[in-house]
């Protein structure tokens, strides 16, 4: 979604499918790597299954609104109201097990979003 949002911000057409009320869990790639490294010490023949995430749900509209504010010219997302078949309205990880391992996400959502927007602008020569 972040790549799509930046492409749409760049084109000046900030419109998305769905309602914007869908909730998603976001985890920065550096935290994913940290979790994968932690999982090595919990590997076993039983093959424990865990959910990777922050355990916090954010609406798609909130994420896209934050990204729009981080762009040079503030953009407010619009939504078609039509969701894709099979897309869940709520997709937030139950992180009970990784919390027991001592996992704590280290990158705040706004920090990660801003980092992504800066990366996109740098790499796409804006």
């Amino acid at each position: 979604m972040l790549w799509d949002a930046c492409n749409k911000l760049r084109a000046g057409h900030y419109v998305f499918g769905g309602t914007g009320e869908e909730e998603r869990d976001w985890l920065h790639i550096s935290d994913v790597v940290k979790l994968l490294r932690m999982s090595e010490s919990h590997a076993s023949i039983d093959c424990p299954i865990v959910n990777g995430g922050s355990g916090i749900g954010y609406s798609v509209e909130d994420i896209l609104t934050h990204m729009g504010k981080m762009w040079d010219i503030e953009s407010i997302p619009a939504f078609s109201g039509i969701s894709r078949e099979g897309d869940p309205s709520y997709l937030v990880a139950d992180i009970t097990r990784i919390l027991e391992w001592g996992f704590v996400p280290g990158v705040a959502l706004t920090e990660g979003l801003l980092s992504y927007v800066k990366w996109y602008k740098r790499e796409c020569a804006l």
Side-chain angles (χ1 to χ4, degrees):
M1 183 176 89
L2 303 183
W3 177 260
D4 187 38
C6 285
N7 283 330
K8 289 179 178 187
L9 283 162
R10 184 177 184 188
H13 187 69
Y14 209 42
V15 179
F16 299 86
T19 64
E21 295 174 13
E22 300 83 3
E23 282 193 43
R24 298 292 183 262
D25 189 334
W26 294 91
L27 190 62
H28 193 270
I29 188 64
S30 63
D31 288 325
V32 172
V33 170
K34 181 170 82 172
L35 180 57
L36 287 171
R37 286 186 176 146
M38 286 181 89
S39 70
E40 291 175 333
S41 63
H42 296 276
S44 73
I45 192 116
D46 298 327
C47 193
I49 297 172
V50 299
N51 291 315
S54 68
I56 302 169
Y58 298 93
S59 76
V60 168
E61 183 174 20
D62 284 346
I63 298 297
L64 295 173
T65 297
H66 283 309
M67 289 186 74
K69 288 178 181 177
M70 293 172 180
W71 208 255
D72 291 333
I73 300 171
E74 184 175 336
S75 296
I76 298 171
F79 297 91
S80 69
I82 302 168
S83 297
R84 290 186 305 191
E85 187 175 335
D87 275 358
S89 60
Y90 183 82
L91 191 56
V92 179
D94 174 355
I95 62 169
T96 303
R97 212 158 185 193
I98 60 174
L99 291 175
E100 291 169 358
W101 291 358
F103 176 78
V104 177
V107 179
L109 177 68
T110 53
E111 178 187 349
L113 290 176
L114 183 58
S115 172
Y116 190 91
V117 169
K118 287 180 178 179
W119 169 84
Y120 180 93
K121 287 181 172 185
R122 184 178 63 251
E123 294 302 314
C124 293
L126 293 178

